[in-house]
Amino acid sequence: MLSGRLALVTGGGSGIGRAVCQVMAREGARVVAADLNEASAKETAALLASAEHVGVPLDVTSEESVAAVVRGVRDRYGAPADCVVNSAGINDDSFLVNMIAAQFMKVLDVNLKGTFLVTKLSTNAMIDAKIDGSVVNIASIVGKVSSIGTCNYSASKAGVEAFTRTAAKELGRKGIRCNAILPGFIDTPMVAAMPEKVMKLLVPLIVLGRPGRPEEVAELAAFLASDRASYMTGASVEVTGGYGI
Ligand code: NAI
C-alpha cells in the first residue's frame, strides 16, 4: 500500500507512533521514526529490521529541531518525506480550577504548535520538491467529547482538528491531503499512566468493551497516508471502539 513512499512519524518512539512506523514499514514505506526520546526512536527503527529505516531525535516544539529533521531526511533519502504522521503528544491533567497557565501552554506547545511546525516545514519541502503527499494528524476524541481534567489537552486536540481542515483547504491544490484521526482510549504508556479508578469508569462507556490497541489506530493512519484514500482530505475519523457515540 505504501511501497516507494517515505514516512516521517513524530512520536515514533512509543505507543501509537511506534505502531504507525511498524504498519507503514510492513506496507512498504521507508520510515523515519522521530522522537524527543532519541533512544526510543532508534529502538523503533531497530524493530523494523532494515537499514533503510532510521530513528532520529526531534523536539516538535522547536522550529530549529523540526527544520534539522526535515533537512536531514531530504539529505539522507534525496527527497522529502511524502507521508507525515504527527503523533508526538503529551497530556498533563488537572482540574481547571487548579491548572496553571504554564501547564496549559506546555500541552498546547507540543500537541498544537508541534503539529503546526512539522506540517508547515514538511509540506513546504514537498512543495519545493514538487511531490504529492499526505499528512495525518493524531488528534483525539477528547477534542470533541468532553473529559474532566483535560482542558489543556482537549483544547489542543480540538485545535489540531481545526488546523487539519484549514491545512487541507490550503494544500489540496498542491497535491497534499491532510486528515485527522480521533482515537479513543488506546493501550499505550500515555493511558497506562491514568489512574486505575478513572479507567474503571471509562471502560464501561466503550461500546466494544475494551481500550484499543495502537495498531488499530496505525492501520487507519497507513490507509489515510496511502493512495487508497486519494479522495479523502480534511476528514476527522474516529477510532474509539464506539466511545462517545
Ligand atoms: P505515548 O506517550 O506512548 O507516545 C508519545 C510520544 O511522543 C513519546 O514517545 C514521547 O517521547 C513523544 N514526544 C513527547 N513530546 C515530544 C516532543 N516535544 N517532540 C517529539 N516527540 C515528543 O503516547 P500515545 O498514546 O502513543 O500518543 C500518541 C498520540 O496519540 C498523542 O498525540 C496522543 O495525544 C494521541 N492520543 C492518544 C490516545 C491514547 O488513548 N493513547 C487517545 C487519543 C489521542
Side-chain angles (χ1 to χ4, degrees):
M1 190 159 69
L2 293 172
S3 122
R5 305 288 297 274
L6 176 56
L8 170 63
V9 182
T10 76
S14 179
I16 293 171
R18 175 170 284 178
V20 169
C21 292
Q22 290 174 307
V23 171
M24 287 191 160
R26 183 197 74 200
E27 293 300 324
R30 291 164 298 164
V31 174
V32 180
D35 204 291
L36 190 61
N37 181 337
E38 181 177 0
S40 70
K42 290 195 182 314
E43 241 173 64
T44 298
L47 285 173
L48 306 180
S50 157
E52 63 186 354
H53 311 296
V54 288
V56 299
L58 167 68
D59 179 357
V60 297
T61 67
S62 153
E63 187 155 7
E64 291 72 36
S65 174
V66 175
V69 166
V70 169
R71 211 172 32 243
V73 169
R74 208 184 32 215
D75 292 349
R76 183 184 180 99
Y77 294 97
D82 57 1
C83 304
V84 174
V85 180
N86 282 298
S87 188
I90 59 168
N91 60 348
D92 189 356
D93 295 356
S94 158
F95 292 123
L96 172 58
V97 288
N98 300 323
M99 189 164 299
I100 59 169
Q103 186 182 7
F104 187 85
M105 291 313 296
K106 183 177 81 178
V107 170
L108 256 78
D109 220 32
V110 177
N111 297 1
L112 186 52
K113 182 183 143 194
T115 298
F116 154 70
L117 285 175
V118 173
T119 303
K120 178 185 166 183
L121 271 62
S122 56
T123 59
N124 274 349
M126 293 176 205
I127 293 164
D128 284 349
K130 299 187 170 47
I131 58 169
D132 292 353
S134 171
V135 178
V136 179
N137 294 328
I138 309 296
S140 171
I141 193 63
V142 163
K144 191 171 159 190
V145 176
S146 59
S147 167
I148 284 170
T150 70
C151 68
N152 50 0
Y153 183 82
S154 57
S156 75
K157 294 301 189 176
V160 168
E161 257 197 273
F163 168 81
T164 303
R165 282 191 289 272
T166 299
K169 214 168 211 176
E170 293 188 14
L171 296 170
R173 300 289 169 90
K174 300 185 190 301
I176 300 169
R177 296 180 297 103
C178 302
N179 293 287
I181 298 179
L182 278 49
F185 292 90
I186 309 298
D187 200 1
T188 69
M190 184 184 275
V191 160
M194 284 170 69
E196 207 178 312
K197 64 176 185 199
V198 174
M199 283 314 284
K200 274 207 173 110
L201 292 173
L202 281 172
V203 171
L205 304 177
I206 303 171
V207 173
L208 296 182
R210 62 168 177 86
R213 295 185 295 274
E215 55 275 20
E216 292 176 310
V217 178
E219 294 288 351
L220 176 62
F223 170 75
L224 288 173
S226 79
D227 287 342
R228 292 195 191 168
S230 52
Y231 204 52
M232 288 186 76
T233 199
S236 292
V237 187
E238 297 177 16
V239 186
T240 63
Y243 173 81
I245 57 174

